[in-house]
């Protein structure tokens, strides 16, 4: 009886649940697992952060380059505008000097011829001659005024510190003195003075033309 009771005790019951116990992981293993789990996200965050600052730096560099480009374009535009303005001013000087000089020469010739005709009528006392002398005298006075106006205009364009332009100024004075001196000069004297003055006027305009060409070549460079 005792043996049977002992076997009954040792025999495990069908309803008994066996539990297997395992040792818990240590702290370092847990931390390692957590780090491994979050490492991809951390790397992605660092990459995004680096990309952001790289993008921000690129945008700043592009903005600076754009601003520098705009500044250079504005400076170039300003310089080209100044050059274009200077070119137009020089062109205007050439046109005005040419027009004033042609008028100056024309009035000299007309005044000189009026003086010559006036002198030829001095000995005549008839009414027609007196009337003609009066008309010629008016022409002489009118042309003298126009000569002086044109000369003042021409003188205003001359730089007397420049030797060539000073020669032009002297030649203008010489030409004027022939016409305004009472007709003492001959037609040959007037022609020679006109020829000399014309050459100096051409040199003056040619100098401005070369300056214009040089400025045109500068624009856009």
């Amino acid at each position: 009886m005792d043996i049977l009771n002992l076997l009954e005790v040792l025999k495990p019951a069908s309803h008994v649940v066996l539990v297997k116990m395992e040792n818990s992981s240590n702290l370092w293993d847990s931390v390692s697992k957590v780090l491994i789990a979050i490492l991809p996200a951390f790397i992605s965050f660092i990459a995004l952060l680096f990309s952001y600052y790289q993008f921000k730096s690129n945008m700043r560099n592009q903005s600076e380059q754009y601003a520098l480009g705009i500044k250079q374009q504005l400076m170039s535009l300003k310089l080209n505008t100044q050059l274009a303005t200077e070119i137009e001013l020089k062109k205007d000087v050439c046109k005005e000097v040419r027009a004033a000089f042609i008028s100056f020469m024309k009035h000299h010739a007309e005044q000189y011829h009026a003086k010559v005709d006036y002198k030829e009528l001095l000995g005549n006392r008839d009414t027609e001659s007196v009337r003609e002398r009066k008309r010629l005298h008016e022409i002489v006075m009118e042309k003298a005024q126009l000569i002086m106006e044109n000369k003042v205009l021409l003188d205003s364009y001359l730089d007397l510190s420049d030797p060539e332009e000073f020669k032009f100024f002297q030649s203008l004075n010489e030409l004027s003195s022939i016409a305004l001196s009472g007709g003492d000069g001959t037609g040959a004297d007037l022609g020679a003075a006109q020829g000399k003055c014309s050459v100096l006027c051409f040199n003056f305009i040619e100098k401005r033309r070369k300056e214009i060409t040089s400025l045109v070549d500068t624009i856009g460079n």
Side-chain angles (χ1 to χ4, degrees), residues 12-214:
S14 61
H15 63 275
V16 174
V17 178
L18 298 177
V19 179
K20 182 179 180 180
M21 301 298 293
E22 293 183 356
N23 292 331
S24 61
S25 301
N26 58 35
L27 180 62
W28 172 250
D29 290 337
S30 300
V31 172
S32 298
K33 291 177 181 179
V34 172
L35 291 176
I36 292 172
I38 67 172
L39 184 60
F42 178 74
I43 293 175
S44 298
F45 172 76
I46 294 298
L48 288 173
L49 188 64
F50 176 78
S51 297
Y52 167 75
Y53 282 109
Q54 186 68 28
F55 173 77
K56 189 175 181 180
S57 176
N58 290 338
M59 289 297 296
R60 183 172 61 253
N61 291 336
Q62 290 178 3
S63 298
E64 291 175 353
Q65 292 176 357
Y66 179 76
L68 180 60
I70 293 296
K71 183 178 180 181
Q72 290 176 341
Q73 289 180 2
L74 289 175
M75 291 177 62
S76 178
L77 177 62
K78 181 180 179 180
L79 178 59
N80 287 340
T81 301
Q82 291 175 339
L83 290 174
T85 301
E86 187 173 352
I87 287 171
E88 291 303 315
L89 290 174
K90 289 183 180 295
K91 285 183 178 179
D92 289 341
V93 168
C94 290
K95 288 189 292 186
E96 291 173 9
V97 167
R98 184 182 292 109
F101 184 73
I102 291 173
S103 181
F104 179 75
M105 299 284 277
K106 176 184 175 183
H107 296 320
H108 270 80
E110 291 176 349
Q111 196 233 34
Y112 181 83
H113 290 301
K115 279 186 176 183
V116 171
D117 292 341
Y118 179 84
K119 284 187 174 183
E120 290 179 353
L121 295 174
L122 284 179
N124 299 337
R125 302 297 179 181
D126 57 280
T127 304
E128 184 64 27
S129 296
V130 172
R131 187 183 299 112
E132 182 64 11
R133 282 202 307 270
K134 182 179 179 181
R135 187 185 70 84
L136 292 170
H137 177 72
E138 290 175 355
I139 292 176
V140 169
M141 299 305 296
E142 177 188 359
K143 296 302 178 180
Q145 179 65 31
L146 293 172
I147 287 170
M148 293 308 300
E149 290 176 2
N150 280 273
K151 185 179 184 305
V152 169
L153 179 59
L154 288 168
D155 289 346
S156 67
Y157 292 110
L158 301 180
D159 179 8
L160 300 184
S161 63
D162 184 292
E164 290 302 313
E165 293 187 26
F166 183 68
K167 289 180 181 179
F168 187 23
F169 172 76
Q170 290 179 316
S171 182
L172 291 171
N173 290 339
E174 179 184 353
L175 183 56
S176 297
S177 66
I178 294 175
L180 301 177
S181 63
D184 294 335
T186 65
D189 294 333
L190 180 64
Q194 287 179 332
K196 177 181 177 182
C197 206
S198 296
V199 170
L200 293 172
C201 182
F202 172 82
N203 292 341
F204 175 89
I205 294 175
E206 180 66 11
K207 178 181 177 182
R208 297 301 180 280
R209 189 191 66 79
K210 289 180 179 178
E211 291 174 353
I212 291 171
T213 302
S214 177

